[in-house]
């Protein structure tokens, strides 16, 4: 897993960070969003197609 980067623009939805990890289905690197609220991990999902590393 690579470094974690903060994603801006989600407002009151809590914090969102992005990271790269190996996709368990394909074995290829994949960007993911991790949703964090009150310091607790809420969910992890593949980064949407519109997201471009900045």
């Amino acid at each position: 897993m690579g470094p974690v980067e903060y994603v801006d623009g989600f407002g009151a939805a809590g914090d969102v960070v992005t990271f790269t990890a190996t996709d368990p289905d394909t074995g290829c690197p994949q960007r993911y969003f991790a949703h964090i609220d009150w310091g607790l991990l809420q969910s992890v999902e593949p980064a949407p197609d519109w997201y471009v590393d900045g």
Side-chain angles (χ1 to χ4, degrees):
M1 187 165 94
V4 174
E5 302 167 4
Y6 179 76
V7 179
D8 195 20
F10 282 85
D15 291 325
V16 176
V17 295
T18 184
F19 62 93
T20 301
T22 303
D23 184 311
D25 296 327
T26 65
C28 297
Q30 169 74 36
R31 290 301 278 179
Y32 291 92
F33 276 3
H35 299 268
I36 301 170
D37 195 19
W38 289 92
L40 300 172
L41 178 64
Q42 300 298 313
S43 63
V44 175
E45 62 185 0
D49 293 335
W50 56 259
Y51 178 74
V52 178
D53 291 335

